[in-house]
Amino acid sequence: QLQQLSLLVEAAIRITELEQANRALRQGELPAAGTSTVAAQQYEIIGQSPALQRILQELDVVASSELPVLLLGETGVGKELFARQLHRRSGRADKPMIYVNCAALPESLAESELFGHSKGAFSGALSERAGRFDAADGGTLFLDEVGELPLSVQAKLLRVLQNGEIQRLGSDKLQRVNVRLVAATNRDLQQQVKQGEFRADLYHRLSVYPIPIPPLRERSEDLSLLAGHFLEQNRSRLGLRSLRLAPTAELALLGYNWPGNIRELEHVISRAAIKALSQGAQRSDIVILQPELLDLPQTIKAPLSPAPTILPAQGLKEAVNQYQQQLILQALEQHQQCWSKAARALQLDASNLHKLAQRLGLK
């Protein structure tokens, strides 16, 4: 019950933070990156976790270079937002950033879409047409899901990276372009290289500066801010007076692993808000989302028996810190000071347990 109580108290604190974030969003008061608890709202990247701050700092440094950047991460982590952040912090910010979803390009049209084609290059090519590289000239070209590109197109992409030249389909002429290339993938490109599905020389050109984007489960500190952002989005979109999470719903979010990452969180909250309305909530109500509306595969349930009354002399945050310290020390004692076993007992990632212990002054 001590762990359950700790989670409930922490949820109460997070609910307060959510309400504050919602008010700030409605009033347009959220600051830009690095100035307060919500980072980089200007660039649509929300969070304050150390993992996110490290990535933002790294992006700021590499943005000033002309190096190709490869963004690595699971589906739904927001790789496109990080690419846009990189572009906006670069010297090319006043030039276009062109987005290409490589997975959506039919193999027969991929070369024409990227590099353009001349008149008569194929049936239906009635006039000359510029490609995405032309559109991005002077700016940035973002190739999302680059691992999906056909091998034939990969060879031509390599030439652009090597020589800065493109050749339109059906033309013998080479054309110089000045483009910063940023690519992203959720695939293991090294494994694709071994399997012959991706060119090794292109991989080494694209991955001059790889940046792994952490999944949401490694950014647990950002969950409340992200949830608050999506709550406010849905409140505004649906015309609601107020949209909030019940403390038990907040616990459910905290207890879920988020395999679909931020995109899944967005969809879960959007679906729950619509369900609440379909089940009779009025737009003039203060709509409270209960855990059953979230429809998550696994949830953390509140204790069935009443929690003991505790009257801490300090504030709620200090009380939560004390409970967390006690839980960590108990787990370490039970597992002979083995941090990995203690992390499993506490249902935490080992790296997150070390970070939490450092924050609490236990290391």
Side-chain angles (χ1 to χ4, degrees):
Q1 281 199 354
L2 183 60
Q3 185 175 8
Q4 295 277 12
L5 180 60
S6 174
L7 288 169
L8 284 170
V9 174
E10 187 166 3
I13 295 173
R14 288 177 181 269
I15 290 295
T16 303
E17 291 174 347
L18 281 174
E19 291 174 348
Q20 291 172 346
N22 282 346
R23 283 196 295 272
L25 278 163
R26 284 197 292 270
Q27 297 166 9
E29 294 174 352
L30 288 182
T35 59
S36 188
T37 59
V38 178
Q41 194 222 4
Q42 181 183 358
Y43 301 131
E44 305 170 292
I45 299 176
I46 295 172
Q48 60 181 8
S49 65
L52 177 62
Q53 294 304 315
R54 283 195 297 271
I55 295 295
L56 293 177
Q57 184 177 3
E58 194 170 8
L59 284 177
D60 281 349
V61 173
V62 76
S64 60
S65 75
E66 290 295 306
L67 294 176
V69 173
L70 180 62
L71 300 173
L72 306 167
E74 299 174 7
T75 297
V77 296
K79 293 184 287 291
E80 182 184 350
L81 298 184
F82 288 92
R84 294 192 181 280
Q85 166 88 348
L86 181 69
H87 173 70
R88 288 168 176 160
R89 302 291 288 180
S90 75
R92 298 172 179 262
D94 59 338
K95 301 295 183 181
M97 173 178 155
I98 303 300
Y99 170 85
V100 179
N101 183 356
C102 299
L105 290 178
E107 184 171 353
S108 58
L109 297 177
E111 185 175 344
S112 172
E113 282 293 319
L114 288 175
F115 307 109
H117 63 254
S118 59
K119 183 179 179 180
F122 52 85
S123 177
L126 303 178
S127 61
E128 188 174 29
R129 180 180 180 275
R132 304 293 180 89
F133 272 94
D134 293 276
D137 197 18
T140 303
L141 183 67
F142 175 49
L143 298 178
D144 198 9
E145 303 304 340
V146 71
E148 306 289 341
L149 279 178
L151 284 168
S152 58
V153 178
Q154 291 177 29
K156 297 197 77 170
L157 181 57
L158 181 64
R159 176 189 289 172
V160 183
L161 286 167
Q162 288 175 331
N163 305 325
E165 295 175 336
I166 62 171
Q167 184 177 7
R168 289 185 179 173
L169 186 63
S171 172
D172 295 328
K173 296 179 180 178
L174 295 177
Q175 176 186 340
R176 291 200 65 80
V177 289
N178 175 18
V179 172
R180 167 82 174 279
L181 200 63
V182 178
T185 184
N186 62 3
R187 288 193 170 200
D188 184 344
L189 290 186
Q190 289 181 310
Q191 186 62 31
Q192 284 191 264
V193 169
K194 292 177 182 177
Q195 295 172 351
E197 298 172 355
F198 202 84
R199 292 181 63 112
D201 45 7
L202 179 58
Y203 169 72
H204 292 302
R205 286 279 182 173
L206 287 175
S207 62
V208 173
Y209 201 97
I211 299 181
I213 308 299
L216 182 55
R217 61 182 171 275
E218 295 178 10
R219 292 174 51 192
S220 56
E221 303 95 327
D222 296 333
L223 188 61
S224 288
L225 290 170
L226 288 162
H229 173 69
F230 295 133
L231 285 168
E232 173 57 23
Q233 271 190 348
N234 283 277
R235 186 206 64 79
S236 177
R237 184 185 302 134
L238 298 173
L240 302 175
R241 173 188 170 191
S242 179
L243 182 63
R244 303 177 183 177
L245 288 171
T248 48
E250 173 80 0
L251 284 176
L253 296 184
L254 291 169
Y256 185 56
N257 199 39
W258 299 108
N261 293 292
I262 298 170
R263 186 181 300 138
E264 184 182 9
L265 174 62
E266 179 182 9
H267 293 167
V268 163
I269 291 178
S270 297
R271 181 174 64 240
I274 293 171
K275 277 187 177 181
L277 286 177
S278 70
Q279 292 178 13
Q282 301 299 310
R283 285 179 166 82
S284 58
D285 294 340
I286 297 176
V287 180
I288 308 293
L289 300 181
Q290 301 296 333
E292 55 269 20
L293 291 174
L294 301 176
D295 196 23
L296 293 175
Q298 40 183 302
T299 60
I300 297 175
K301 300 183 183 296
L304 295 176
S305 56
T309 301
I310 295 179
L311 299 174
Q314 69 277 57
L316 281 175
K317 287 189 178 182
E318 290 80 2
V320 169
N321 287 344
Q322 282 192 4
Y323 295 141
Q324 289 176 330
Q325 286 174 340
Q326 187 173 351
L327 288 170
I328 292 171
L329 292 172
Q330 285 177 351
L332 287 170
E333 184 177 352
Q334 290 170 2
H335 296 282
Q336 292 76 48
Q337 305 302 311
C338 178
W339 286 86
S340 59
K341 291 181 180 179
R344 282 196 295 272
L346 294 169
Q347 299 181 2
L348 288 174
D349 181 79
S351 62
N352 287 339
L353 177 59
H354 283 288
K355 292 174 188 173
L356 179 60
Q358 286 179 334
R359 182 174 68 80
L360 296 172
L362 296 177
K363 291 191 71 178

